[in-house]
Structures are given as C-alpha cells and as structure tokens.
Amino acid sequence: MSTHAKLIVDDKEYLLPIVVGSEGEKAIDITQLRNQTGFITLDSGYMNTGSTKSAITFLDGEQGILRYRGIPIEHLAEHSTFVETSYLLIYGELPNKQQLQHFSQLLSNHSMIHEDMRHFFDGYPASAHPMAILSSMVNTLSTYYPESVNVFENIEVQSTRLLSKLRTIAAFSYKKSIGKPIMYPLNHLTYCANFLHMMYAIPSEPYEVDQDMVKALNMLLILHADHEQNCSTSTVRLCGSSLPNLYTTISAGICALWGPLHGGANQEVIEMLQKLKDSDMSPKEYLGKVKDKKSNNNIRLMGFGHRVYKNYDPRAKILKKMTGVILSKKGIDDPLLDIAMEMEEVALSDSYFIERKLYPNVDFYSGILYKAMGIPINMFTVMFAIGRLPGWISHWREMMEDPDRKIGRPRQIYTGPTERPYVPMDKRK
Ligand code: ACO
C-alpha cells in the first residue's frame, strides 16, 4: 500500500501520510493540511474523522465484530466478570489471580461515599431523573478529593475510587427516588452482588442476592464497558483534554450518554414497546409511521441503527439470548419481549431497514432484561453509565499518557455575515 495519499488543490500537489492500524484500518493524516494548503476538512457528526489512535477497543461495524484489547466480546460475556473486564480495559491485559484480588480489594475499600454527600440526595425533588443526580454527584466527588486537580497524580486511586463509588451513588439515587432508606455497601460481596444488595435490600429484612441476576448484571455491564470513540467517550476525551479532574471529566461523559440517541435509547425502547402494547398497535403499523418521512413526525425505531454497525450489533445478539434465558428461568412472561421480537423480524425483512442497514443495537433488548431484574425504567441509562465507566477511564488514561496529547479544539467554516458596522439602538429597524 502507498505510504502517502496525493491531494491536488488548484493544480498543486500535496502528499499526506497514510496511517494503518493493527487491524488494517486506514487513515489519511491531515495534521499538516491547513499549514500546507490553507484548507481544513469538514465532516459533520465526525462521520469520517478519526480523533485519536487507540489500543483499547476494536470495532468492525460491517462485520459486527467487537473486541476489548483483542478479546472477542462473546468470550468476555461468557467467561469474565465486570471487574476483570474493567481491569483488562484499564491495564491492557487480563489480571492474574493476585492482580485481580488486589483490584477487587481496592474497589471494596472505596465503596462508601462521604457521609455528608448522603444529605445531598435529600435536596433533589422525588421526580429528579437519576442521570441528573448521577452526573452532579460525580462532579461533586471532586470537592471531597481536592487533590484530584493534580490530574497526573494518584491516577490509580482516582480510577478505582470512581469505579467503586459510581454504583453506590446510583443505588442511593434509586433509594431516594422511591423514598426508602439507603443501604450501605457490604464489602464482602462481589461488585455486582454489592450493587444489587444496595438497590433491593431494606434494613428491616434479610436479603439474599440472586446469583442468576448477578450473572446477568455482570454480562450486561461487560457488554456496555467500552465502544471506542462513541459520543460519551469522545466527550470524556474532549472535556478531559483541557485537564479538569477525572470526576468532572466523567460527569461530562454521563451527560452526553443521557441523550435518547445514545445511552438514553434503552429507556426509549421500553417506552415505545409499552406504548405499542397499550394502544394495541401492531409492529407493522408502527414501522409504517417510522418510515413515513413525509409527515415529518420524526419517529425512529428506537434501539435500531448505529453509526458504526451496518450489521447485527454483536452485543444485541448476546443480550437477546440472555434475555430469553433469564425470563424463562425466572418464569417471567413479558409481552414486551414478544413485541420486540416481532418488531425485529418485521424490520429486518423490510426494504427501508435493509437498504439503510439498520439492525438492532445494544439498547433494543437490554431494557427488557433490566426490567426483569427489577430495575426501573428511569435507571436504565444509569446502568449503562456504570457499565461504560471502565471504558471512559481507560480512554482518559490513554489520552493522559499520550505524549502527543493536545487540547481538543475543532475548527469550523464560518457562514455568518461578513463584517458590518454596529448600529445604535435609535437607528435599528
Ligand atoms: N429508525 C428509523 N430510521 C432510521 C433509524 C431508526 N432507528 N436510524 C437511522 N434511520 C434512517 C435515517 O432516517 C436516515 O434515513 P435517510 O437516509 O432516508 O435520511 C438513515 O437511516 C441514516 O440515519 P442517520 O441518522 O444519518 O444515521 P446516524 O449514523 O447519524 O445515526 C443513530 C445513528 C443516532 C444511532 C440512529 O440510527 C438512531 O437514531 N437510532 C435510534 C436511537 C438509538 O437506538 N440509539 C442508540 C444507539 S446505540 C448507543 O448509543 C449505545
């Protein structure tokens, strides 16, 4: 393959270096483009822009491949735990026994939040969306750890502290929303069991953590743990590039995740399926509305389509299977699963979806599984955030260690008025 791409502008020729990744992905390095030619590139939504090199996650959207540090997502979902996968993402290798024990111990040591922070939960209205609470509370952590302003120091402690505390904050915000007393973490429990205990136990009764749910939760969090340069991870990199502390940086990522076109889609999927059930509308009828662009109704089939996947999202495949297994094991008959499966079947044989290569994404089935686990709908995106945290941290660390790191600062093509005079108030129309 050539080492350079040739660009001709106004009869002048420029050579731009070609960069090739370890899986053969190709890019044209345009770092010097403006210096050499006076041009910038324009790429709305960053459809074709590689913002960084990264050794964390490989994703092939055409073939439906997802690997963390080279290991296929299918293998991790079947054999790993969320804590082990977090270690893999952050440190690049699977941990040995001692490393895993040490990492788990660190997570246990940091599970509590400062007692004063508990009172903050009382300040939110009962109707507060838990994503708003989560992002605010994560940013608030920085006030309790002022040393975190030194972004290049104590990276290990900051990372594990945040990984551990996020699930505590999430569970506390849920308890607040239902008006029940919070449950403190129990450090002899594993990461996922500890979270389920904080979510569902009450002080007045014994509570036994359901091991099937622990397994399902581990798998769900593993599937969400990283997805290379998606909207929230790119937000983490962009925000982090101006060097605020880690908590503030992750808080920005949580906000980006909240939107319905990103992590918020899992909530929207269940709301859509519920609406169909309540109104007796068939999936075919609903798809008719989705396809009807003339009426400008802007309805999308939530949980379908992806910027990168033009094939079945491998995470959705695993989730669909796991959802069926858990529902039948627990004897849960959820009509929303039947509607979802029918919807998928109809959509995948419809020319609109075939032509646009729209397949179920990770959010299409995750909500049904969360629902079976007793997670309320408005907590779905919070669950996504807990899962995505090790990915965000890994990308932040990779960026901080990059000797070529620069503040993220895209350019633009200005399309507003050219220079004109200031008009005094009495002369304006
Ligand atoms: N339902 C109906 N039509 C769709 C859908 C959908 N879910 N997704 C894309 N399309 C159509 C668009 O209308 C467009 O059609 P057109 O060419 O006739 O105008 C075409 O497919 C391309 O769509 P874009 O919006 O340009 O694709 P983009 O890559 O920008 O968007 C996105 C990707 C945001 C995920 C989109 O597919 C979508 O809105 N999906 C629904 C929301 C969702 O499930 N989000 C979760 C994504 S996964 C995640 O973040 C974890």
Side-chain angles (χ1 to χ4, degrees), residues 105-120:
Q105 189 58 49
L106 279 178
L107 292 180
S108 294
N109 293 349
H110 290 292
S111 61
M112 304 271 284
I113 56 171
H114 194 289
E115 194 61 9
D116 289 351
M117 270 185 84
R118 269 188 49 202
H119 304 300
F120 295 173

mmCIF file of all heavy atoms in Angstrom, residues 105-120:
data_model
loop_
_atom_site.group_PDB
_atom_site.id
_atom_site.type_symbol
_atom_site.label_atom_id
_atom_site.label_comp_id
_atom_site.label_asym_id
_atom_site.label_seq_id
_atom_site.Cartn_x
_atom_site.Cartn_y
_atom_site.Cartn_z
ATOM 1 N N GLN A 105 -10.020 -5.736 45.920
ATOM 2 C CA GLN A 105 -9.890 -5.199 47.271
ATOM 3 C C GLN A 105 -9.952 -3.673 47.252
ATOM 4 O O GLN A 105 -10.647 -3.056 48.070
ATOM 5 C CB GLN A 105 -8.557 -5.669 47.878
ATOM 6 C CG GLN A 105 -8.407 -5.356 49.362
ATOM 7 C CD GLN A 105 -9.529 -5.987 50.194
ATOM 8 O OE1 GLN A 105 -9.823 -7.174 50.055
ATOM 9 N NE2 GLN A 105 -10.189 -5.188 51.023
ATOM 10 N N LEU A 106 -9.274 -3.084 46.276
ATOM 11 C CA LEU A 106 -9.299 -1.620 46.158
ATOM 12 C C LEU A 106 -10.732 -1.128 45.933
ATOM 13 O O LEU A 106 -11.171 -0.138 46.520
ATOM 14 C CB LEU A 106 -8.431 -1.162 44.984
ATOM 15 C CG LEU A 106 -6.939 -1.057 45.204
ATOM 16 C CD1 LEU A 106 -6.247 -0.649 43.911
ATOM 17 C CD2 LEU A 106 -6.636 -0.025 46.296
ATOM 18 N N LEU A 107 -11.458 -1.850 45.074
ATOM 19 C CA LEU A 107 -12.842 -1.443 44.796
ATOM 20 C C LEU A 107 -13.681 -1.534 46.070
ATOM 21 O O LEU A 107 -14.524 -0.675 46.329
ATOM 22 C CB LEU A 107 -13.446 -2.315 43.684
ATOM 23 C CG LEU A 107 -12.849 -2.136 42.289
ATOM 24 C CD1 LEU A 107 -13.528 -3.056 41.282
ATOM 25 C CD2 LEU A 107 -12.986 -0.691 41.815
ATOM 26 N N SER A 108 -13.449 -2.585 46.856
ATOM 27 C CA SER A 108 -14.203 -2.718 48.112
ATOM 28 C C SER A 108 -13.845 -1.580 49.066
ATOM 29 O O SER A 108 -14.721 -0.984 49.692
ATOM 30 C CB SER A 108 -13.883 -4.052 48.794
ATOM 31 O OG SER A 108 -14.356 -5.098 48.007
ATOM 32 N N ASN A 109 -12.552 -1.268 49.152
ATOM 33 C CA ASN A 109 -12.107 -0.227 50.099
ATOM 34 C C ASN A 109 -12.752 1.133 49.823
ATOM 35 O O ASN A 109 -12.899 1.953 50.715
ATOM 36 C CB ASN A 109 -10.589 -0.036 50.027
ATOM 37 C CG ASN A 109 -9.841 -1.249 50.530
ATOM 38 O OD1 ASN A 109 -10.456 -2.145 51.108
ATOM 39 N ND2 ASN A 109 -8.542 -1.293 50.279
ATOM 40 N N HIS A 110 -13.108 1.363 48.562
ATOM 41 C CA HIS A 110 -13.601 2.698 48.190
ATOM 42 C C HIS A 110 -15.111 2.762 47.993
ATOM 43 O O HIS A 110 -15.614 3.697 47.380
ATOM 44 C CB HIS A 110 -12.915 3.157 46.895
ATOM 45 C CG HIS A 110 -11.465 3.472 47.074
ATOM 46 N ND1 HIS A 110 -11.038 4.536 47.810
ATOM 47 C CD2 HIS A 110 -10.358 2.850 46.629
ATOM 48 C CE1 HIS A 110 -9.710 4.567 47.809
ATOM 49 N NE2 HIS A 110 -9.276 3.548 47.095
ATOM 50 N N SER A 111 -15.833 1.771 48.505
ATOM 51 C CA SER A 111 -17.260 1.695 48.139
ATOM 52 C C SER A 111 -18.147 2.760 48.803
ATOM 53 O O SER A 111 -19.209 3.096 48.296
ATOM 54 C CB SER A 111 -17.805 0.300 48.468
ATOM 55 O OG SER A 111 -17.677 0.086 49.852
ATOM 56 N N MET A 112 -17.709 3.284 49.955
ATOM 57 C CA MET A 112 -18.556 4.275 50.652
ATOM 58 C C MET A 112 -18.386 5.658 50.026
ATOM 59 O O MET A 112 -17.336 5.972 49.479
ATOM 60 C CB MET A 112 -18.111 4.383 52.120
ATOM 61 C CG MET A 112 -18.110 3.097 52.875
ATOM 62 S SD MET A 112 -19.676 2.767 53.638
ATOM 63 C CE MET A 112 -19.607 3.877 55.018
ATOM 64 N N ILE A 113 -19.414 6.484 50.169
ATOM 65 C CA ILE A 113 -19.232 7.896 49.826
ATOM 66 C C ILE A 113 -19.180 8.695 51.129
ATOM 67 O O ILE A 113 -19.649 8.209 52.168
ATOM 68 C CB ILE A 113 -20.332 8.444 48.887
ATOM 69 C CG1 ILE A 113 -21.728 8.245 49.484
ATOM 70 C CG2 ILE A 113 -20.222 7.843 47.511
ATOM 71 C CD1 ILE A 113 -22.830 8.960 48.697
ATOM 72 N N HIS A 114 -18.607 9.878 51.082
ATOM 73 C CA HIS A 114 -18.523 10.717 52.283
ATOM 74 C C HIS A 114 -19.928 10.878 52.872
ATOM 75 O O HIS A 114 -20.890 11.123 52.129
ATOM 76 C CB HIS A 114 -17.939 12.089 51.900
ATOM 77 C CG HIS A 114 -17.512 12.893 53.087
ATOM 78 N ND1 HIS A 114 -18.408 13.443 53.957
ATOM 79 C CD2 HIS A 114 -16.271 13.212 53.547
ATOM 80 C CE1 HIS A 114 -17.760 14.090 54.907
ATOM 81 N NE2 HIS A 114 -16.449 13.958 54.681
ATOM 82 N N GLU A 115 -20.022 10.732 54.181
ATOM 83 C CA GLU A 115 -21.334 10.740 54.832
ATOM 84 C C GLU A 115 -22.116 12.030 54.519
ATOM 85 O O GLU A 115 -23.328 11.996 54.323
ATOM 86 C CB GLU A 115 -21.127 10.566 56.345
ATOM 87 C CG GLU A 115 -22.369 10.211 57.138
ATOM 88 C CD GLU A 115 -23.028 8.894 56.749
ATOM 89 O OE1 GLU A 115 -22.455 8.119 55.963
ATOM 90 O OE2 GLU A 115 -24.153 8.656 57.209
ATOM 91 N N ASP A 116 -21.412 13.140 54.405
ATOM 92 C CA ASP A 116 -22.102 14.405 54.105
ATOM 93 C C ASP A 116 -22.808 14.355 52.755
ATOM 94 O O ASP A 116 -23.835 15.016 52.551
ATOM 95 C CB ASP A 116 -21.108 15.576 54.070
ATOM 96 C CG ASP A 116 -20.583 15.914 55.453
ATOM 97 O OD1 ASP A 116 -21.129 15.351 56.428
ATOM 98 O OD2 ASP A 116 -19.638 16.713 55.548
ATOM 99 N N MET A 117 -22.243 13.582 51.843
ATOM 100 C CA MET A 117 -22.836 13.535 50.494
ATOM 101 C C MET A 117 -24.232 12.909 50.510
ATOM 102 O O MET A 117 -25.049 13.163 49.634
ATOM 103 C CB MET A 117 -21.936 12.748 49.533
ATOM 104 C CG MET A 117 -20.911 13.606 48.826
ATOM 105 S SD MET A 117 -19.961 12.683 47.607
ATOM 106 C CE MET A 117 -21.023 12.719 46.178
ATOM 107 N N ARG A 118 -24.462 12.073 51.515
ATOM 108 C CA ARG A 118 -25.798 11.438 51.631
ATOM 109 C C ARG A 118 -26.900 12.486 51.674
ATOM 110 O O ARG A 118 -27.979 12.308 51.126
ATOM 111 C CB ARG A 118 -25.861 10.621 52.923
ATOM 112 C CG ARG A 118 -25.446 9.194 52.745
ATOM 113 C CD ARG A 118 -25.720 8.422 54.003
ATOM 114 N NE ARG A 118 -27.081 8.666 54.485
ATOM 115 C CZ ARG A 118 -27.469 8.478 55.741
ATOM 116 N NH1 ARG A 118 -26.636 8.061 56.642
ATOM 117 N NH2 ARG A 118 -28.718 8.700 56.091
ATOM 118 N N HIS A 119 -26.598 13.603 52.361
ATOM 119 C CA HIS A 119 -27.644 14.621 52.546
ATOM 120 C C HIS A 119 -27.987 15.319 51.233
ATOM 121 O O HIS A 119 -29.069 15.874 51.086
ATOM 122 C CB HIS A 119 -27.204 15.654 53.597
ATOM 123 C CG HIS A 119 -26.846 15.000 54.891
ATOM 124 N ND1 HIS A 119 -27.750 14.250 55.610
ATOM 125 C CD2 HIS A 119 -25.680 14.950 55.583
ATOM 126 C CE1 HIS A 119 -27.163 13.770 56.693
ATOM 127 N NE2 HIS A 119 -25.906 14.171 56.689
ATOM 128 N N PHE A 120 -27.049 15.302 50.302
ATOM 129 C CA PHE A 120 -27.319 15.972 49.018
ATOM 130 C C PHE A 120 -28.506 15.332 48.313
ATOM 131 O O PHE A 120 -29.265 15.990 47.606
ATOM 132 C CB PHE A 120 -26.101 15.901 48.083
ATOM 133 C CG PHE A 120 -24.897 16.645 48.577
ATOM 134 C CD1 PHE A 120 -23.697 16.554 47.909
ATOM 135 C CD2 PHE A 120 -24.962 17.437 49.714
ATOM 136 C CE1 PHE A 120 -22.578 17.244 48.364
ATOM 137 C CE2 PHE A 120 -23.855 18.127 50.171
ATOM 138 C CZ PHE A 120 -22.659 18.025 49.496
#
